[in-house]
């Protein structure tokens, strides 16, 4: 019974940390507001939807980026300090968009989970 409670506590702690990081990303990001729709109910709804979409998306992106950092570091060590090998893993995993903007939801702007374009 004691082992099960430790596992449960570990899972709860992990979920709490991931949720906290996602909320920090979501609240710290500045999502763009379309100039013509900022005052309308549709614009406010789009803002709310982008914020709500950012919470799980941002959490997944942070987990992906951290995993890429770890794997890239291991690849760097295993390749004898070859930075190009590590960068080939770090760049796609750590770049890209961390926040969903209203333009992403309307299709006006592409959303890049895996690095690439920074627009």
């Amino acid at each position: 019974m004691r082992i099960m409670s430790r596992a449960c506590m570990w899972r709860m702690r992990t979920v709490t940390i991931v949720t906290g990081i996602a909320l920090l990303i979501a609240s710290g990001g500045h999502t763009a507001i379309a100039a013509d729709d900022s005052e309308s109910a549709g614009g406010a709804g789009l803002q709310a939807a982008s914020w709500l979409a950012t919470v799980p998306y941002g959490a997944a992106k942070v987990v992906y980026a951290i995993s890429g950092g770890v794997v890239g570091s291991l690849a760097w060590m295993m390749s004898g300090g070859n930075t190009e090998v590590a960068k080939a893993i770090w760049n796609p995993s750590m770049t890209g968009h961390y926040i969903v903007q209203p333009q992403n939801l309307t299709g006006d702007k592409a959303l890049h989970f895996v690095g690439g374009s920074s627009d």
Side-chain angles (χ1 to χ4, degrees):
M1 183 85 134
R2 186 165 173 83
I3 294 173
M4 188 178 298
S5 65
R6 283 187 183 183
C8 183
M9 291 292 287
W10 184 81
R11 284 186 191 127
M12 288 177 55
R13 186 178 311 155
T14 303
V15 168
T16 303
I17 290 170
V18 169
T19 303
I21 290 171
L23 289 174
L24 285 174
I25 290 171
S27 66
H30 300 286
T31 56
I33 299 173
D36 56 340
D37 280 343
S38 62
E39 300 297 322
S40 70
L46 202 54
Q47 270 302 108
S50 68
W51 185 85
L52 288 173
T54 296
V55 174
Y57 174 85
K61 178 62 180 172
V62 167
V63 168
Y64 179 67
I66 291 171
S67 300
V70 170
V71 171
S73 298
L74 290 172
W76 178 80
M77 288 185 339
M78 296 298 184
S79 67
N82 187 346
T83 307
E84 294 304 315
V85 171
K87 283 183 179 180
I89 298 170
W90 289 334
N91 285 339
S93 64
M94 293 182 181
T95 58
H97 298 131
Y98 286 77
I99 297 172
V100 178
Q101 296 179 348
Q103 293 86 356
N104 301 130
L105 298 177
T106 60
D108 296 334
K109 186 176 178 184
L111 183 63
H112 298 284
F113 187 81
V114 177
S117 177
S118 61
D119 62 309

